[in-house]
Amino acid sequence: MFAAEIYKQRRKKLIQQVSNGLILLFGNKESSMNYIANTYPFRQDSNFLYYVGYDVPDLVAMLDTQSGEQILYGDDLGVEDIIWMGYQEKLTEKAARAGMDLVRPMERLAGDICKAMTKNRKIHFLPPYREERKSQLSFLMEADCNKDENLYSEELIRAIVAQRSVKDDLEINEIESTLTSATRPMYLHAMKMAKPGVAEYEISGMIEGMALQQGLAMAYPIICSVNGEILHNHYHGNIMKEGQLLIIDAGAESKLHYSTDITRTIPVGGKFSSRQKDIYDLVLKAELEAISKIQPGIPYRDVHMHAAATIAEGIKDLGLLKGNVDDILSCGAHALFFPHGIGHMMGLDVHDMEDLGEKYVGYGDEFQRSEQFGLAYLRMARRLEKGFVITVEPGIYFIPPLIEKWEAEGKHKDFIRYDKLKSYFDFGGIRIEDDVLVTSDGHRVLGDPIPKTIGEVEQVCTL
Ligand code: GLY
Ligand code: MN
């Protein structure tokens, strides 16, 4: 945990931003895999981590915005639990670490909420992302959380998004030191391992093992696939063949659960073909140009569109698109090759605060999400501010079912050279991703550099 004072300050600021009532912050419970006692690795809720920090199940914080009272609800373990689970700090000690001095047993929570509701006090809580939390909230609030999205406090969501979006030096250090000491070595190792005959799971297993060896976890399920055209491909069963491209999209999570999120595309056997080089250099150009545009005040949607223009122009030069690039961009024909957004906010979650709603985190009041294929997947459009940490991750993919569908529909046929695309059906995809801090006058790519140019990647592959 950070020092208690950090959590105190964060809660003080939150309480100032919420006009009245009680704020409820739920820590997560254990989640069962195949029977109750056999649980998935525990992951604390990120909002709870941010404001309370304590990383064990079954805690709830209640903050009174009027009186300033802050209560940690939980239960001390009995000796029966200690026999199986070992000693845990007492609730008062847990609260002290978070700078809180009031504790109550969990059985008091429902009654305290009920009492506040009878006094017509507003209860602020966040949208749940686990089913058991939905049921608990429905019971506590005497309402159906599956049906009524208006139950969640927009005021609380907005206050938290404003606060968590801007990372302080401690948070930036968590991300940056994890990139350098954990995520970077994973990629150096993977590049050396990407040889014909090796299974994808040998590499994904090595990556996860390297995180575990440092007492860390992964920030999200590893993408490690020679079918990189499948954007979130979690199948790792292929045996790699010479000449294939291996996309690895992975990142360790720091001890305090700050994410990292890197992608590299690696030639199996160590050498890119000339066709792969053309596409790789185009993705790299899009990434480097996008990074160069990052500074406070620029809408991230503009950075996305700049990357889309670079990709569209380059693909046109390769003879796979035709016509005017502005027309290609406005109708969205380029999204056949670049169907996702340029990046997203990153912090305690890899897609930071996605549980609170992308419209608040990535769009705000100034921007509306497009309905156009491709642009609709842009997670972040809003203006950048100093202290944001964002990913930059353009890619080019050849997705046979999508190409076939669009061709059958005659979609964008004035721009797309469908006749030339058949020979790319076995290409896969290329994505390159880094994590970038918005600084007062520009940006900084976080962490020690991870090999990225064709020359750098090929050199590590053949070590
Ligand atoms: N790292 C996966 C993603 O950004 O969606
Ligand atoms: Mn990402």
Side-chain angles (χ1 to χ4, degrees):
M1 284 176 70
F2 294 125
E5 195 54 34
I6 300 281
Y7 301 102
K8 265 171 115 161
Q9 290 299 330
R10 288 174 175 179
R11 292 193 301 271
K12 186 172 168 203
K13 190 162 173 192
L14 180 65
I15 286 170
Q16 283 165 354
Q17 301 303 314
V18 177
S19 53
N20 62 56
L22 299 173
I23 297 171
L24 281 177
L25 296 169
F26 287 85
N28 273 336
K29 294 176 172 299
E30 295 277 17
S31 198
S32 297
M33 281 194 286
N34 51 341
Y35 55 91
I36 286 173
N38 204 23
T39 53
Y40 290 104
F42 175 71
R43 175 52 157 84
Q44 185 58 286
D45 176 80
S46 296
N47 296 300
F48 194 85
L49 282 174
Y50 188 82
Y51 290 105
V52 182
Y54 213 94
D55 192 9
V56 299
D58 300 321
L59 297 170
V60 178
M62 187 192 279
L63 317 178
D64 189 322
T65 62
Q66 272 126 319
S67 68
E69 192 175 70
Q70 304 184 3
I71 304 167
L72 186 66
Y73 292 85
D75 293 310
D76 287 330
L77 295 190
V79 77
E80 297 264 327
D81 295 317
I82 290 171
I83 292 168
W84 292 96
M85 291 153 61
Y87 178 76
Q88 258 197 23
E89 288 185 312
K90 300 235 173 308
L91 189 60
T92 49
E93 295 168 302
K94 291 173 183 159
R97 282 189 189 271
M100 300 169 81
D101 43 25
L102 286 177
V103 298
R104 282 190 195 154
M106 193 59 89
E107 65 179 16
R108 295 273 305 274
L109 178 68
D112 288 354
I113 291 174
C114 187
K115 228 184 284 171
M117 289 198 321
T118 56
K119 289 185 191 154
N120 280 328
R121 298 205 65 198
K122 168 97 181 142
I123 314 286
H124 299 271
F125 59 94
L126 299 169
Y129 48 88
R130 293 190 183 181
E131 287 305 316
E132 84 263 2
R133 177 78 62 225
K134 271 189 200 165
S135 308
Q136 184 190 17
L137 280 168
S138 298
F139 167 75
L140 289 171
M141 304 302 156
E142 298 168 16
D144 188 344
C145 287
N146 278 312
K147 292 210 177 107
D148 191 355
E149 289 201 352
N150 296 324
L151 291 169
Y152 315 127
S153 169
E154 187 173 352
E155 189 182 4
L156 180 61
I157 290 172
R158 285 180 183 274
I160 292 180
V161 168
Q163 200 174 349
R164 281 183 54 191
S165 292
V166 178
K167 274 69 184 177
D168 66 19
D169 289 348
L170 287 170
E171 297 179 285
I172 293 161
N173 180 54
E174 277 289 303
I175 294 170
E176 184 148 41
S177 60
T178 306
L179 278 167
T180 296
S181 64
T183 302
R184 182 175 182 274
M186 291 169 181
Y187 278 91
L188 295 177
H189 214 80
M191 286 175 191
K192 291 177 206 158
M193 277 179 76
K195 307 254 188 278
V198 174
E200 292 162 344
Y201 53 72
E202 292 180 63
I203 298 193
S204 63
M206 172 280 296
I207 288 173
E208 186 135 10
M210 283 180 80
L212 295 173
Q213 280 176 338
Q214 292 195 41
L216 306 176
M218 300 306 293
Y220 53 94
I222 298 168
I223 297 165
C224 175
S225 178
V226 291
N227 296 122
E229 77 283 6
I230 302 168
L231 300 180
H232 280 179
N233 191 345
H234 296 136
Y235 176 74
H236 301 153
N238 293 306
I239 308 297
M240 297 185 290
K241 299 192 191 93
E242 181 89 32
Q244 287 180 317
L245 291 171
L246 178 71
I247 281 193
I248 301 179
D249 182 338
E253 187 175 84
S254 81
K255 287 222 165 76
L256 299 189
H257 301 290
Y258 283 84
S259 179
T260 66
D261 182 4
I262 295 290
T263 306
R264 290 292 184 266
T265 305
I266 303 168
V268 176
K271 290 278 171 215
F272 289 99
S273 70
S274 78
R275 188 170 78 158
Q276 289 167 345
K277 280 181 178 170
D278 287 342
I279 305 282
Y280 191 98
D281 274 337
L282 184 49
V283 177
L284 184 58
K285 180 169 184 246
E287 201 229 16
L288 294 174
E289 284 184 6
I291 291 172
S292 75
K293 299 246 166 277
I294 291 174
Q295 60 177 58
I298 185 165
Y300 211 38
R301 190 182 186 284
D302 292 359
V303 178
H304 173 84
M305 290 314 298
H306 186 89
T310 305
I311 286 172
E313 267 159 22
I315 290 183
K316 187 181 156 187
D317 291 345
L318 291 172
L320 306 178
L321 282 169
K322 59 184 174 178
N324 178 286
V325 169
D326 287 340
D327 295 340
I328 289 170
L329 293 175
S330 62
C331 75
H334 64 284
L336 180 65
F337 307 100
F338 177 33
H340 59 74
I342 188 70
H344 50 84
M345 190 88 88
M346 194 187 79
L348 278 164
D349 311 294
V350 61
H351 295 170
D352 210 21
M353 300 171 277
E354 199 165 284
D355 59 316
L356 303 182
E358 243 172 45
K359 72 175 174 175
Y360 302 106
V361 182
Y363 282 78
D365 294 328
E366 191 184 346
F367 295 90
Q368 288 291 320
R369 186 185 290 273
S370 164
E371 287 179 3
Q372 187 183 77
F373 177 83
L375 203 47
Y377 296 125
L378 179 61
R379 299 183 192 281
M380 171 109 174
R382 69 193 267 205
R383 282 178 203 280
L384 301 178
E385 291 174 30
K386 176 177 182 273
F388 285 11
V389 174
I390 49 179
T391 67
V392 183
E393 49 180 308
I396 295 178
Y397 314 88
F398 295 87
I399 308 168
L402 183 63
I403 296 170
E404 283 170 342
K405 179 168 184 289
W406 279 25
E407 183 176 17
E409 292 168 359
K411 195 163 173 173
H412 305 312
K413 62 181 178 354
D414 295 339
F415 301 113
I416 297 169
R417 298 287 311 267
Y418 287 109
D419 54 320
K420 299 254 174 130
L421 286 179
K422 298 277 178 299
S423 65
Y424 282 82
F425 272 26
D426 63 349
F427 187 94
I430 293 177
R431 180 165 65 255
I432 304 173
E433 175 177 27
D434 285 297
D435 303 334
V436 180
L437 170 70
V438 184
T439 61
S440 55
D441 57 354
H443 58 269
R444 185 159 67 79
V445 180
L446 293 174
D448 284 357
I450 299 171
K452 189 156 75 166
T453 64
I454 285 175
E456 288 165 354
V457 173
E458 286 189 344
Q459 193 194 5
V460 180
C461 283
T462 44
L463 282 179

